[in-house]
Amino acid sequence: MMSIKNKVQLIGHAGQDSEIVDLESGKKVARVSIAVNEDYKNANGEKQTRTEWFNLVAWNSVATIFENYVQKGKKIAIEGKLTSRSYEDKGGTKRYVTEVLVNEVLLLSNKESE
């Protein structure tokens, strides 16, 4: 049997400008959410669009690409893997987060094409 991997590929539009943090260690992290649209037909045969939002996290050189080129509305393709984590909020409630850890990004729109 082929090896099964944790791999995610998405194409969508950035929901906001990339949030960039330069860490004291010298590493850089970028965070942005993207909207991915899926078209389908409902029971009446009418075209519908469903939008799913995904939170992306990129580190170092990939984060630099996000910092320089990914702003709200830009269309991008990404490849990465799903990651999960939990934390306690200020009220002491445990929260769970699932994100896509991006290892590749392809810019699909630029100023000339928008």
Side-chain angles (χ1 to χ4, degrees), residues 13-18 32-33 69-75 114:
H13 291 86
Q16 74 277 348
D17 292 348
S18 299
V32 68
S33 60
Y69 301 105
V70 178
Q71 296 89 27
K72 182 177 182 176
K74 295 284 186 170
K75 188 173 185 180
E114 292 179 0

Side-chain angles (χ1 to χ4, degrees), residues 11-12 16 37:
I11 297 175
Q16 74 277 348
N37 294 326

